[in-house]
Amino acid sequence: MFDILLQPGKEITMKSYLLGVWNLIDPIYYNCSRLHYIPDSEQQNTLLRVRLTRYKGAKVTLSDGTVIHKNDILLKIHLHNVKMINELNMINSDLKRAVYIYHTIKKALPRLAAYLQQHPRYREIKAIIGITSLYKGAERLGFEIVSIKNNYYQMYKKITFLPINLVAGNKRQVDPVYLFMSKSKLNVKYNSGMHS
């Protein structure tokens, strides 16, 4: 999720083409997917977009004792990949790109905590969840990495991540994983004044 590094090479024309197509498709995807932006303190959209989902994976017990069962309601987070890659294109250093992503996500998480607190279904939501194959740095932000047990679903997600990996220049084909953070942990870590 957080280690996307763009690399120059012969694929630059293909990457530019894919990014152009993605820029056209993304607004349609956004409108059809029930996603909501998480705004920052200036009401500008962060890189995070979210929607409610019912968890369909195997039972998971998080480090704080929160147990996630099948059909529990979670807040699913999506990175706005097009926006992120457009911004990363202006940064030349791989290290600076990785640091930029980490701090951009870290800055957005308190806004996510506030959004969750104000959600009409706050009490039903157990945790936040993401699915990604780019998760370097996620644990330092408070996420727990959990493998996807269903091989078919894992393969499906791996295929759907191919375009972002190509555009981002990420040549490693890492298996996707779940990222979890319990509601309580999000509150404590990013807004200790909120109720749990």
Side-chain angles (χ1 to χ4, degrees):
M1 186 186 231
F2 310 121
D3 62 346
I4 293 179
L5 302 176
L6 301 184
Q7 299 170 353
K10 297 178 181 178
E11 311 92 351
I12 188 70
T13 304
M14 177 60 74
K15 290 178 185 177
S16 299
Y17 173 75
L18 284 173
L19 192 55
V21 172
W22 209 341
N23 272 305
L24 292 173
I25 294 174
D26 186 72
I28 300 170
Y29 170 73
Y30 174 76
N31 286 321
C32 294
S33 60
R34 299 177 288 124
L35 289 172
H36 298 277
Y37 280 101
I38 301 297
D40 63 20
S41 56
E42 285 78 41
Q43 296 305 303
Q44 299 295 314
N45 292 330
T46 67
L47 288 179
L48 297 183
R49 303 190 287 189
V50 299
R51 67 177 176 85
L52 289 185
T53 189
R54 286 195 178 273
Y55 177 61
K56 297 300 181 184
K59 175 183 171 183
V60 174
T61 302
L62 303 181
S63 60
D64 66 356
T66 300
V67 181
I68 311 294
H69 298 277
K70 185 176 180 180
N71 290 322
D72 279 347
I73 296 176
L74 307 177
L75 189 67
K76 188 173 184 180
I77 57 174
H78 297 252
L79 286 182
H80 190 177
N81 290 316
V82 175
K83 180 179 179 181
M84 179 172 61
I85 290 174
N86 280 326
E87 292 177 5
L88 289 177
N89 275 332
M90 297 181 287
I91 303 174
N92 294 323
S93 162
D94 287 351
L95 178 60
K96 287 181 179 178
R97 289 188 189 109
V99 170
Y100 172 82
I101 293 169
Y102 175 84
H103 286 289
T104 300
I105 301 301
K106 185 176 182 179
K107 185 178 177 182
L109 286 171
R111 306 307 303 175
L112 177 64
Y115 173 90
L116 181 57
Q117 183 196 28
Q118 296 160 10
H119 199 284
R121 300 181 70 177
Y122 174 83
R123 297 194 179 281
E124 298 176 70
I125 299 169
K126 278 196 171 180
I128 59 175
I129 183 175
I131 302 174
T132 185
S133 58
L134 303 167
Y135 48 85
K136 185 177 179 181
E139 289 177 306
R140 284 190 294 155
L141 292 172
F143 290 96
E144 297 181 42
I145 298 170
V146 177
S147 61
I148 298 173
K149 306 296 184 187
N150 186 309
N151 291 331
Y152 295 106
Y153 186 61
Q154 185 183 73
M155 182 59 64
Y156 165 73
K157 296 307 294 184
K158 198 169 186 177
I159 292 169
T160 62
F161 290 152
L162 284 176
I164 181 63
N165 286 335
L166 177 60
V167 173
N170 185 57
K171 296 178 180 177
R172 295 173 298 156
Q173 292 300 308
V174 180
D175 288 338
V177 297
Y178 291 117
L179 297 182
F180 287 99
M181 192 187 308
S182 72
K183 179 171 63 178
S184 296
K185 186 173 185 179
L186 179 68
N187 289 349
V188 169
K189 190 171 180 68
Y190 292 103
N191 195 338
S192 59
M194 291 163 54
H195 60 71
S196 57

